[in-house]
């Protein structure tokens, strides 16, 4: 294998693919990136056996086609450190890959391409196209609520639900729930649900740009495949039954609060400084046109703050994990947040005042 390529053309896909490759691997070849040169195209592939990312660079001057695997992060670090003045030449000589750029020369160890695992192809059961901008918005709005290393493995991912008129993303860790939807004619005859693992959600979100250009999603029985420009992303799916999120969404709350999102977020963050560092609890005292926030910790330190809100109703005291509330306020992009409450033991429903595409549920705490 021998080829010549510009630094920028190689570095851009290499950085994306290096993000998929885990630093510590049980199989050495999984720390490598697979390089395949053929015709005028260089294809780069990285995988951790759960997620695979393939990037294609064209046109590339290929003198001799071939394929090999090399350490992903070392190759990315070398390309990042090189200047833009001269093109990069990659040449496979024996079991070493030689990288030359101007006066710089690096020799990298390799492993045979045959050792590199392929994500198996499977028959697709459904395909749809979603604008990159909208899919990125939905992932950003919900991914933060995914569980991390929960024994309920189906919570360590994000539910992607498609029916004939909507695409939804839902995430929950058992204490809070985030849901976003997009009205879209999908041609899906019946409802389809798949659970995308955490790593897959985060890597897919990195690929998406703030553009209307569509991303093609192909949903199979065991994999989700997305094509974004010159990249093909594949993720295994989590087997399991996601909780019925409709049963979690509180209905019939009679206490509706309207607050300035930025002011409420700042007030909660200030009070949260003196909350218990493990449970992060704050107490909210709701009264007509005022919301008070209290926090304390085992060192007998206390915080007390207040802000003006739009509210006419009975007084209410309720406790929450301040981090969960701040996460929701970070995810919303409206100036006003609407909070619907029923009683101290019922979950709060949070949404933007002028945008019903996202909603959030946060369970209360006993303080």
């Amino acid at each position: 294998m021998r080829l010549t390529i510009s630094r920028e053309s190689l570095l851009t896909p290499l950085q994306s693919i290096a993000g998929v490759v885990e630093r510590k691997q049980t199989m050495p070849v999984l720390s490598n990136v697979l390089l395949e040169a053929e015709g005028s195209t260089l294809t780069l592939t990285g995988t951790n056996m759960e997620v695979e990312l393939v990037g294609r660079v064209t046109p590339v001057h290929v003198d001799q086609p071939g394929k090999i695997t090399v350490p992903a992060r070392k190759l990315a670090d070398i390309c990042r450190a090189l200047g833009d003045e001269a093109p990069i030449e990659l040449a496979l000589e024996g079991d070493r890959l030689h990288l030359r750029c101007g006066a710089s020369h690096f020799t990298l160890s390799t492993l045979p391409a045959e050792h590199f695992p392929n994500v198996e192809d499977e028959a697709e059961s459904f395909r749809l196209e979603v604008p990159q901008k909208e899919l990125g918005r939905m992932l950003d709005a919900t991914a933060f609520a995914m569980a991390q290393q929960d024994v309920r493995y189906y919570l360590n991912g994000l539910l992607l639900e498609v029916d004939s008129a909507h695409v939804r993303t839902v995430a929950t860790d058992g204490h809070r729930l985030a849901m976003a939807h997009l009205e879209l004619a999908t041609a899906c005859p019946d409802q389809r649900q798949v659970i995308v693992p955490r790593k897959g959600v985060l890597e897919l979100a990195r690929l998406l740009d703030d553009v209307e250009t569509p991303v093609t999603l192909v949903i199979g029985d065991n994999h989700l495949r997305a094509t974004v420009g010159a990249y093909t992303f594949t993720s295994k799916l989590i087997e399991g039954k996601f909780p019925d999120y409709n049963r979690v969404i509180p209905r019939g709350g009679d206490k509706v609060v309207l607050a300035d999102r930025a002011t409420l977020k700042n007030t909660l963050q200030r009070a949260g400084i003196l909350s218990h560092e493990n449970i992060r609890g704050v107490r909210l005292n709701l009264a007509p046109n005022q919301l008070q926030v209290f926090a304390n910790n085992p060192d007998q330190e206390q915080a007390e703050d207040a802000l003006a809100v739009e509210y006419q109703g009975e007084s209410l005291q309720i406790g929450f994990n301040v981090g969960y509330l701040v996460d929701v306020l970070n995810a919303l992009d409206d100036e006003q947040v609407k909070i619907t409450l029923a009683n101290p033991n019922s979950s709060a429903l949070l949404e933007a005042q002028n945008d019903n595409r996202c909603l959030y549920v946060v369970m209360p705490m006993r303080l």
Side-chain angles (χ1 to χ4, degrees):
M1 185 179 83
R2 184 183 297 273
L3 61 95
T4 306
I5 187 171
S6 71
R7 170 184 172 269
E8 194 58 36
S9 297
L10 180 58
L11 182 59
T12 302
L14 200 51
Q15 285 181 312
S16 297
I17 287 162
V20 169
V21 177
E22 304 282 0
R23 289 183 184 276
K24 295 180 181 177
Q25 292 286 4
T26 51
M27 295 168 57
V29 75
L30 292 180
S31 297
N32 285 12
V33 58
L34 173 65
L35 305 178
E36 297 180 83
E38 189 172 357
S40 61
T41 302
L42 175 65
T43 304
L44 302 92
T45 306
T47 184
N48 67 351
M49 299 295 283
E50 181 182 69
V51 173
E52 179 191 81
L53 183 59
V54 181
R56 296 170 188 82
V57 185
T58 187
V60 176
H61 185 73
V62 178
D63 293 318
Q64 188 177 337
K67 57 184 179 179
I68 197 67
T69 81
V70 295
R73 294 189 185 276
K74 288 178 183 174
L75 183 58
D77 289 345
I78 289 168
C79 292
R80 202 178 292 116
L82 290 170
D84 274 329
E85 303 78 36
I88 291 173
E89 181 188 298
L90 297 176
L92 182 61
E93 299 171 16
D95 63 350
R96 291 286 184 263
L97 183 74
H98 293 262
L99 185 154
R100 296 177 176 87
C101 179
S104 304
H105 179 202
F106 302 87
T107 306
L108 288 164
S109 63
T110 67
L111 287 170
E114 293 73 35
H115 293 182
F116 197 81
N118 280 329
V119 174
E120 63 271 21
D121 280 328
E122 63 174 2
E124 67 178 77
S125 60
F126 186 67
R127 175 187 294 254
L128 75 153
E129 292 192 344
V130 185
Q132 284 190 46
K133 180 178 181 178
E134 291 296 337
L135 183 60
R137 173 189 67 81
M138 293 168 69
L139 295 181
D140 289 344
T142 52
F144 69 88
M146 291 186 292
Q148 295 191 54
Q149 299 178 328
D150 198 297
V151 291
R152 297 164 294 180
Y153 57 91
Y154 48 82
L155 298 185
N156 301 320
L158 181 127
L159 176 73
L160 178 66
E161 180 183 272
V162 183
D163 60 31
S164 60
H166 299 90
V167 179
R168 287 184 190 85
T169 55
V170 186
T172 180
D173 60 6
H175 303 285
R176 53 182 172 174
L177 178 139
M179 183 176 83
H181 81 274
L182 170 67
E183 291 187 14
L184 184 73
T186 64
C188 181
D190 48 12
Q191 190 182 78
R192 185 73 199 271
Q193 290 188 339
V194 295
I195 306 173
V196 186
R198 180 184 189 84
K199 177 80 170 174
V201 172
L202 300 180
E203 292 302 332
L204 178 56
R206 285 194 189 101
L207 284 179
L208 302 171
D209 289 321
D210 192 20
V211 294
E212 295 294 337
T213 311
V215 51
T216 302
L217 297 178
V218 176
I219 299 171
D221 291 333
N222 301 306
H223 292 87
L224 170 76
R225 181 164 284 138
T227 304
V228 187
Y231 295 95
T232 302
F233 163 89
T234 307
S235 173
K236 285 187 176 179
L237 299 174
I238 296 176
E239 292 183 22
K241 177 87 172 124
F242 200 81
D244 182 358
Y245 59 85
N246 282 308
R247 292 177 58 187
V248 178
I249 298 170
R251 313 284 181 191
D254 58 347
K255 298 173 178 62
V256 179
V257 184
L258 283 178
D260 180 82
R261 183 187 64 85
T263 305
L264 177 58
K265 184 180 101 170
N266 292 338
T267 304
L268 289 169
Q269 286 177 320
R270 285 194 299 268
I273 294 168
L274 295 186
S275 65
H276 191 297
E277 64 181 28
N278 292 330
I279 61 174
R280 305 291 317 282
V282 294
R283 189 175 83 248
L284 306 186
N285 283 12
L286 183 61
N289 294 329
Q290 188 183 55
L291 179 64
Q292 291 178 297
V293 182
F294 298 92
N296 56 48
N297 60 37
D299 297 325
Q300 306 300 312
E301 297 170 324
Q302 295 185 16
E304 180 180 334
D305 215 325
L307 71 153
V309 296
E310 289 184 38
Y311 173 68
Q312 296 297 329
E314 298 175 6
S315 297
L316 176 72
Q317 279 192 14
I318 188 167
F320 289 105
N321 178 311
V322 68
Y324 293 167
L325 294 178
V326 170
D327 284 346
V328 171
L329 296 172
N330 281 330
L332 291 170
D333 55 10
D334 201 346
E335 289 185 5
Q336 294 281 313
V337 57
K338 183 170 105 176
I339 306 171
T340 306
L341 301 159
N343 59 62
N345 302 314
S346 297
S347 297
L349 178 65
L350 293 88
E351 52 199 322
Q353 182 186 8
N354 300 312
D355 187 353
N356 65 355
R357 294 179 299 172
C358 300
L359 65 81
Y360 302 92
V361 179
V362 181
M363 287 178 63
M365 293 177 68
R366 290 186 183 278
L367 294 177

